Amino acid sequence: MGVKSVIRLEKDNVLFSRESIFINARKVKILEKLNQLIYDRKVNLNQGDVSMEADKIEIKDENQITATSSRGNVSLSFQSDNKEVTIKGKHLDFDSQNLAINISGKAAIKSNENILRASDIQIRFNANNEIERISGKEKVNFLKEDLSGKSDRVEWNFKQDIMVLRGSPQIRKQDGGKTTGKVLQIDLKTGKITILSTASDRTETIIQ
């Protein structure tokens, strides 16, 4: 047995509009004084092409949404710029004021063949719910076909397919090639890597 419900947000949030949201869960708690809904255990939420699974999803004050998982990962999937995007992490917070999703605890995002992992990831959206930029920090690593890399911080311009790694970055090719520098910039469309060591020292190398 379980609970099936249909809700509508009073205000738009990142990815979610004021259209119907369909939620399945094992149980739900309604806290009227706090204006809060808590869906618990095997929660599945859907609206249009947006789908989310979590151990617990909380909705407060009409549009504040958080999702957590104690046993596995929260999983969120949607489309952005005609790309299939999947997000995973222990905790997801939907920030409507800053048009962002904050992911913490083994955070990961996959878009086509690109996979980025970090301890914490923030995804910034535009007003049309399309991803603009992605930033990550601590234990950053990424995979793209035969390329892999790691660093302390990353900035990913999603629209331009440009990723910048900072903090002891390195990129490896499957055949053993390695690129290092203070700052590495990757064009995800072409595979070109630009090494930016200082403001006045700029060299380029292409991994094919």
Side-chain angles (χ1 to χ4, degrees):
M1 298 296 290
V3 177
K4 295 184 178 181
S5 66
V6 180
I7 67 168
R8 291 175 182 267
L9 302 179
E10 293 294 325
K11 301 176 183 177
D12 292 343
N13 200 326
V14 181
L15 294 181
F16 296 109
S17 69
R18 281 172 279 187
E19 298 298 320
S20 297
I21 297 176
F22 301 89
I23 304 176
N24 295 335
R26 287 288 182 86
K27 61 181 182 179
V28 61
K29 183 184 293 185
I30 302 173
L31 305 177
E32 293 186 8
K33 291 183 178 180
L34 297 176
N35 198 16
Q36 185 176 9
L37 297 171
I38 302 175
Y39 293 90
D40 198 12
R41 298 176 60 189
K42 294 186 177 181
V43 187
N44 185 282
L45 180 153
N46 292 276
Q47 185 188 70
D49 64 2
V50 181
S51 177
M52 183 163 59
E53 296 180 354
D55 288 338
K56 181 183 292 186
I57 293 177
E58 299 183 32
I59 302 172
K60 186 177 180 181
D61 294 335
E62 285 87 32
N63 77 329
Q64 296 180 26
I65 302 173
T66 60
T68 57
S69 180
S70 57
R71 292 177 288 274
N73 282 321
V74 178
S75 179
L76 171 69
S77 61
F78 58 95
Q79 289 190 348
S80 182
D81 291 325
N82 296 316
K83 299 175 183 177
E84 290 289 340
V85 179
T86 301
I87 295 170
K88 292 188 177 182
K90 295 290 184 183
H91 182 92
L92 271 63
D93 178 67
F94 293 76
D95 184 346
S96 60
Q97 291 187 338
N98 295 304
L99 296 179
I101 298 176
N102 299 305
I103 314 154
S104 58
K106 296 182 179 180
I109 177 170
K110 181 180 185 295
S111 172
N112 294 339
E113 72 276 14
N114 303 309
I115 301 174
L116 175 67
R117 297 185 178 92
S119 295
D120 298 291
I121 291 176
Q122 183 183 70
I123 304 173
R124 300 295 294 266
F125 294 78
N126 61 24
N128 295 319
N129 277 326
E130 298 170 334
I131 297 176
E132 290 280 353
R133 292 183 177 274
I134 301 167
S135 60
K137 62 182 181 179
E138 297 183 10
K139 299 180 179 179
V140 174
N141 68 79
F142 87 93
L143 296 172
K144 176 183 168 61
E145 296 176 338
D146 64 341
L147 292 177
S148 63
K150 63 181 182 178
S151 65
D152 296 328
R153 302 181 306 282
V154 63
E155 293 289 337
W156 180 357
N157 187 318
F158 195 79
K159 293 233 175 241
Q160 296 181 9
D161 274 335
I162 298 292
M163 187 179 290
V164 178
L165 303 175
R166 304 176 186 273
S168 304
Q170 60 178 259
I171 298 171
R172 292 182 181 273
K173 198 172 185 290
Q174 200 170 42
D175 63 9
K178 179 180 177 181
T179 305
T180 62
K182 290 184 178 179
V183 182
L184 301 181
Q185 177 178 285
I186 312 165
D187 187 323
L188 297 173
K189 291 180 180 178
T190 65
K192 184 172 76 171
I193 301 172
T194 303
I195 305 172
L196 306 175
S197 294
T198 65
S200 60
D201 180 13
R202 180 186 177 105
T203 59
E204 294 186 358
T205 182
I206 298 176
I207 297 178
Q208 300 179 349

